[in-house]
Amino acid sequence: MNITLKLSLIVPMYNEGSNISYFYNRITKVLENIGYRYEIICINDGSKDDTMQRLTELNKKDNRVKIINLSRNFGKEIAMSAGLKAAKGDAIIPIDADLQDPPELIPELIDKWLAGYDVVYATRTKREGETWTKKATAKLFYKFMRKITNIDIPADTGDFRLMSRRVVDALNQLPEHHRFMKGLFSWVGFKQIGISYQREPRHAGKSSFNYWKLWNFAIEGITSFSFAPLKMSSYLGLIVSFLSVLYMLFLIVRTIFFGNEVPGYPSLMVAILFFGGVQLMSLGFIGEYVGRIYNESKRRPLYFVSEQIGFDEEEPISNKDKIVRISR
Ligand code: UDP
Ligand code: MG
């Protein structure tokens, strides 16, 4: 048993009232067995159900459950960022409240961490309770991301992972508002390794990610890490102009040899519509980036906290512990 090391669990929660007590029981069983000191930082992301009440009750029973109550729903990525900022542990583990990521895997993550890895991520080999369309689109997305960005986001890997203190310190330095966490986790670098597991269906409640959200999530990921769409529109423009020059030459030659025939309405229409489409699309690509520049340039705080529970009393550490902690 190593009481000098501390784990921080980061649990973003949006309408997870029905999952909390099951989550708490299952996770504490695992954590107690590990024997490290730990804190469970629950971020209430503007839930509309009884998540906050249940968390407060839990905190009264067990002060290792700490609560950050955000002022409204900011989305999972931001909620997680709030948790990462508050985490004090030597190793930090974001985990979903619906227990789709089995906490029983944590000891395995820790083993790899102790062996010297900074990031130990968990890769899903099987996703139960998820439709094949979701699996297929997810697969396609990871493949596409790997093609167009130069960071390597491991496929079929969620946010469930263990990160060392220095990785989280690095993440906390990133000021951007558009936080595609999976990308950022990889982007910071350090020694990373994956282990595999089977993703379980949600314990209760339903997923808050619909296809529209996932689509926007994908756009977020792409625009955060790649200029490929912008490049694509310039290349498309280049190719189309080149082809139109060829077409023009063809028309000139044809007119010289065969004279000018008036008909040409269909080809004209096709060209206009095609270019209209290409231009709108390119504008849209640019717009996605300009919008993000606009958002970042406002320099608003990432989130507001309406309440923080359980953070003031730091549990006492003996002098001996302190020395060990510093020398690590
Ligand atoms: N979540 C959150 N804010 C949101 C949406 C989701 O904090 O706006 C949390 C949610 O409570 C859960 C985790 O993010 O702990 C994953 O959400 P979900 O299970 O809905 O996503 P999925 O597993 O389907 O990707
Ligand atoms: Mg889930």
Side-chain angles (χ1 to χ4, degrees):
M1 174 151 148
N2 190 336
I3 53 155
T4 60
L5 293 177
K6 182 169 176 178
L7 299 177
S8 297
L9 271 82
I10 311 285
V11 199
M13 294 187 176
Y14 177 61
N15 297 342
E16 300 285 5
S18 53
N19 279 323
I20 287 177
S21 66
Y22 178 73
F23 171 81
Y24 174 77
N25 291 337
R26 200 161 141 195
I27 202 116
T28 26
K29 205 181 286 164
V30 174
L31 292 173
E32 289 297 338
N33 276 335
I34 294 170
Y36 290 175
R37 291 184 301 133
Y38 64 88
E39 59 181 359
I40 305 175
I41 302 181
C42 301
I43 302 98
N44 178 30
D45 188 16
S47 299
K48 294 186 180 68
D49 66 353
D50 57 352
T51 299
M52 192 57 199
Q53 283 117 276
R54 287 186 188 233
L55 282 177
T56 319
E57 281 162 27
L58 213 56
N59 164 267
K60 289 205 182 95
K61 244 176 37 189
D62 182 349
N63 65 1
R64 287 169 300 193
V65 176
K66 303 178 178 180
I67 312 167
I68 300 176
N69 191 16
L70 297 182
S71 59
R72 64 170 171 85
N73 177 259
F74 282 93
K76 183 183 178 188
E77 314 284 304
I78 300 264
M80 220 153 44
S81 304
L84 291 177
K85 267 262 152 69
K88 294 266 167 36
D90 301 288
I92 294 96
I93 306 172
I95 186 168
D96 285 358
D98 57 13
L99 288 170
Q100 278 189 285
D101 317 310
E104 288 74 23
L105 222 62
I106 292 176
E108 219 177 308
L109 298 178
I110 291 177
D111 284 346
K112 284 272 189 299
W113 169 56
L114 292 176
Y117 288 96
D118 281 289
V119 178
V120 190
Y121 54 81
T123 299
R124 310 154 186 162
T125 50
K126 201 168 140 206
R127 299 169 136 201
E128 271 177 54
E130 292 187 6
T131 56
W132 74 267
T133 40
K134 182 163 180 187
K135 283 185 257 188
T137 46
K139 198 168 164 193
L140 206 72
F141 171 68
Y142 287 121
K143 215 169 151 185
F144 185 63
M145 275 302 277
R146 212 154 338 120
K147 275 252 153 59
I148 67 163
T149 64
N150 43 16
I151 51 158
D152 191 16
I153 300 178
D156 286 331
T157 301
D159 299 315
F160 182 43
R161 62 188 65 215
L162 180 147
M163 291 177 282
S164 68
R165 184 72 250 169
R166 58 180 185 166
V167 167
V168 173
D169 286 343
L171 285 171
N172 286 343
Q173 284 177 38
L174 305 179
E176 55 248 70
H177 280 238
H178 290 273
R179 301 179 85 78
F180 183 69
M181 292 311 274
K182 275 184 216 178
L184 296 177
F185 289 154
S186 303
W187 182 85
V188 295
F190 297 103
K191 245 174 118 179
Q192 312 212 353
I193 194 173
I195 60 173
S196 43
Y197 75 106
Q198 299 195 349
R199 187 151 161 97
E200 292 168 36
R202 257 182 166 272
H203 172 249
K206 65 182 204 314
S207 169
S208 56
F209 283 86
N210 53 35
Y211 281 101
W212 179 238
K213 270 195 179 178
L214 284 174
W215 168 249
N216 283 319
F217 188 64
I219 291 181
E220 199 68 67
I222 292 164
T223 52
S224 299
F225 287 96
S226 161
F227 293 126
L230 291 178
K231 272 197 202 148
M232 203 172 83
S233 40
S234 25
Y235 286 124
L236 199 65
L238 210 70
I239 292 169
V240 170
S241 343
F242 179 70
L243 290 179
S244 51
V245 168
L246 287 187
Y247 186 55
M248 185 186 73
L249 290 176
F250 165 75
L251 285 184
I252 291 173
V253 171
R254 200 180 64 173
T255 314
I256 289 171
F257 288 101
F258 302 97
N260 186 14
E261 316 159 37
V262 180
Y265 174 75
S267 55
L268 216 63
M269 210 52 205
V270 166
I272 290 174
L273 290 178
F274 179 68
F275 285 110
V278 169
Q279 280 168 6
L280 275 182
M281 202 169 75
S282 313
L283 269 181
F285 287 155
I286 297 172
E288 289 287 340
Y289 287 91
V290 173
R292 280 173 176 77
I293 296 171
Y294 172 60
N295 266 345
E296 298 291 350
S297 69
K298 284 189 276 195
R299 301 182 143 269
R300 286 186 187 154
L302 269 186
Y303 51 84
F304 287 110
V305 174
S306 76
E307 221 176 335
Q308 257 182 332
I309 302 176
F311 285 93
D312 14 34
E313 354 73 74
E314 198 44 299
E315 59 273 57
I317 320 170
S318 75
N319 271 335
K320 190 171 127 270
D321 288 352
K322 263 186 201 145
I323 292 159
V324 176
R325 272 162 68 91
I326 291 162
S327 66
R328 217 189 104 79

